[in-house]
Amino acid sequence: MRILVTGGTGFIGSHTVVELLNENYEVVVIDDFSNSKPDVVDKIKTITNKEFKFYEGNVCDKELLQIIFKENKIDAVIHFAGFKAVGESVQKPLMYYRNNLDSTLTLCEVMNANNVKNIVFSSSATVYGNPKGLPIKETFPTGETTNPYGATKVMIERILKDIYISDNTWNIALLRYFNPIGAHKSGLIGENPNDIPNNLMPYIVKVATKELKELNIFGNDYDTVDGTGVRDYIHVVDLAKGHIKAIEWVLKNNGIDAFNLGTGNGYSVLELVNAFKKYNNVDVPYKIVGRREGDIGSCYADVSYAKEKLGWESKYDIEDMVKDSYNFVKNSTLHM
C-alpha cells in the first residue's frame, strides 16, 4: 500500500511517516518546508533505515499534485499540510483561509480525478470551540470556533462530509487532535518550528535551555485547578500511531467518521511546567501575563470512541512527553 503524506516533514507528519515506514507501507511525501527543515527527510531515513519518495512543493500546486499521482500509484492520503498557529491565524485570517482551504480543495480534486478516495484528515479539537462540557465527545457540536485556524478545520471537515454525501465510495477519517508534545525517542525529530513557536512546549524548552529568559503563561484566572489553562497533552508518537489505525480503517471502506485523539487527561500549564522541571531536573522561570486571544479555559477528550472503532489508545504518560521533548532539543543543540 502506498500512502501520500502531505506536510510529511512537519512535527506530526514526520513522526507519522516513521510509523508508516515501520509498518512497511510505501510512502510518498510532499512538503514545502514552510514550517519544517529539509534535514528531516534524511533523519526519517536514518531512524527507519528505509527510503521514501519526496517532492518539494506546495499542496496548492495542482500541476505538481497531478505529477505525483501520475508517477505513483497512491492508495490513500494523509493530509497534514496547513498553517497551524492559533495566534497567527487571528492576525492573518486571509492567509489561513486561502492556504488551508485551497490546499484541501486542490488535493481532493486531484484525488477525485485519479480515483483515489481514501483520506485521513488532520483536524483539531479547536473545531469544538468552547465545548459544552467535559470530557469532549465526537458528538458535541462543532463550528463555534474561537479563531480562524479552528474555523478552517471546521470548513474542511464540512467539505469532506459534502464530498462523501455526493459520492459514498469515499472513505474519510477526521482525526481531531488535542495537544501533541514530545518527540521521537531517537532525539532526531521533534517539534522544531521555523518561526515563532505557537505551542507551549517549544517555549518551555527554550526557557530550560536559556534561549529565553522566562516563560509567559497566558492567564491564571480560568476556572481550572490552578487558574491556568488545561489541555489534553498527547505524545506525538501515540498520535502518529493513531494515523496508522485510521489508514487501516479507511482502507477497509468504512465511510466517514470523526475521532478524538488525546489521552483523556487534562493537565494545566503549571502542571506541565512543573512536570518538565521535575523529570528533567531543570529550572523554568515563568511569569503570568494576560489571556491570549482565541484561547479557552479547559479542553480534554473522551477517547473511548477511537478505542472502540480504531482499536487505538495512548500509551505514553506526561513523564515520557516532557523527557522526550527536552531530549530532542538537547540532541539538536549537540549537532548544530
Side-chain angles (χ1 to χ4, degrees):
M1 286 287 173
R2 188 173 286 123
I3 313 298
L4 172 63
V5 182
T6 73
T9 62
F11 176 40
I12 305 167
S14 60
H15 288 81
T16 301
V17 171
V18 166
E19 296 303 323
L20 285 166
L21 292 168
N22 285 343
E23 293 291 328
N24 296 316
Y25 286 93
E26 290 183 62
V27 179
V28 179
V29 172
I30 175 174
D31 206 311
D32 63 359
F33 302 122
S34 60
N35 199 28
S36 60
K37 309 278 193 299
D39 65 357
V40 171
V41 174
D42 289 331
K43 287 176 176 177
I44 293 170
K45 292 175 181 178
T46 301
I47 291 167
T48 60
N49 204 24
K50 290 184 178 171
E51 290 293 319
F52 61 93
K53 279 182 89 168
F54 177 77
Y55 294 83
E56 184 175 351
N58 191 297
V59 183
C60 298
D61 182 345
K62 195 168 194 173
E63 284 179 22
L64 176 57
L65 282 188
Q66 286 168 331
I67 289 166
I68 292 171
F69 277 82
K70 191 176 172 186
E71 292 181 352
N72 306 277
K73 188 195 172 300
I74 305 294
D75 294 293
V77 177
I78 303 180
H79 180 36
F80 291 106
F83 296 148
K84 62 172 193 172
V86 168
E88 184 182 55
S89 78
V90 175
Q91 304 301 321
K92 300 177 179 176
L94 289 176
M95 184 174 91
Y96 272 69
Y97 289 119
R98 168 64 70 193
N99 180 73
N100 292 6
L101 297 179
D102 232 12
S103 57
T104 307
L105 292 167
T106 304
L107 175 65
C108 289
E109 283 169 358
V110 176
M111 286 177 68
N112 205 37
N114 288 275
N115 201 33
V116 178
K117 296 180 178 179
N118 301 311
I119 185 169
V120 174
F121 173 57
S122 164
S123 191
S124 163
T126 55
V127 300
Y128 297 111
N130 222 331
K132 69 170 191 175
L134 293 167
I136 297 168
K137 296 179 183 289
E138 288 87 351
T139 51
F140 280 15
T142 62
E144 291 299 316
T145 54
T146 58
N147 56 73
Y149 160 73
T152 67
K153 295 296 188 185
V154 170
M155 290 175 185
I156 293 166
E157 284 197 8
R158 179 63 193 267
I159 289 164
L160 292 169
K161 285 171 186 169
D162 286 342
I163 290 171
Y164 179 75
I165 289 167
S166 74
D167 176 2
N168 66 9
T169 63
W170 280 74
N171 299 292
I172 302 166
L174 310 170
L175 301 186
R176 295 171 180 165
Y177 313 157
F178 281 69
N179 290 68
I181 58 174
H184 194 267
K185 292 285 181 198
S186 64
L188 288 175
I189 57 172
E191 189 165 17
N192 192 13
N194 285 347
D195 209 344
I196 298 164
N198 59 81
N199 296 328
L200 176 61
M201 186 53 80
Y203 277 112
I204 293 176
V205 170
K206 281 176 185 290
V207 176
T209 57
K210 299 190 165 46
E211 189 181 328
L212 292 175
K213 188 178 75 151
E214 62 190 357
L215 176 72
N216 287 339
I217 293 178
F218 296 100
N220 65 345
D221 56 351
Y222 289 105
D223 184 16
T224 61
V225 60
D226 54 26
T228 63
V230 166
R231 296 291 180 270
D232 187 337
Y233 296 101
I234 175 171
H235 198 294
V236 65
V237 173
D238 275 333
L239 190 58
K241 289 176 188 290
H243 291 76
I244 309 300
K245 293 294 190 184
I247 277 289
E248 291 169 4
W249 185 87
V250 297
L251 289 171
K252 287 176 188 159
N253 302 315
N254 272 308
I256 183 169
D257 213 341
F259 305 95
N260 288 336
L261 296 188
T263 64
N265 298 310
Y267 291 97
S268 76
V269 173
L270 277 179
E271 285 174 327
L272 185 67
V273 170
N274 289 330
F276 190 95
K277 289 161 68 170
K278 175 184 171 184
Y279 292 119
N280 292 312
N281 198 25
V282 288
D283 192 27
V284 181
Y286 63 84
K287 68 175 180 186
I288 306 294
V289 296
R291 291 187 182 190
R292 189 171 54 177
E293 259 187 300
D295 274 351
I296 59 173
S298 289
C299 179
Y300 55 92
D302 181 325
V303 290
S304 55
Y305 193 66
K307 184 176 181 181
E308 177 196 340
K309 295 291 182 184
L310 302 179
W312 171 90
E313 60 184 326
S314 64
K315 298 283 193 293
Y316 294 104
D317 62 15
I318 196 82
E319 182 177 351
D320 296 307
M321 296 181 213
V322 296
K323 280 184 171 175
D324 292 342
S325 295
Y326 196 39
N327 179 48
F328 165 66
V329 171
K330 285 191 296 185
N331 194 50
S332 305
T333 311
L334 282 174
H335 294 94
M336 279 175 78

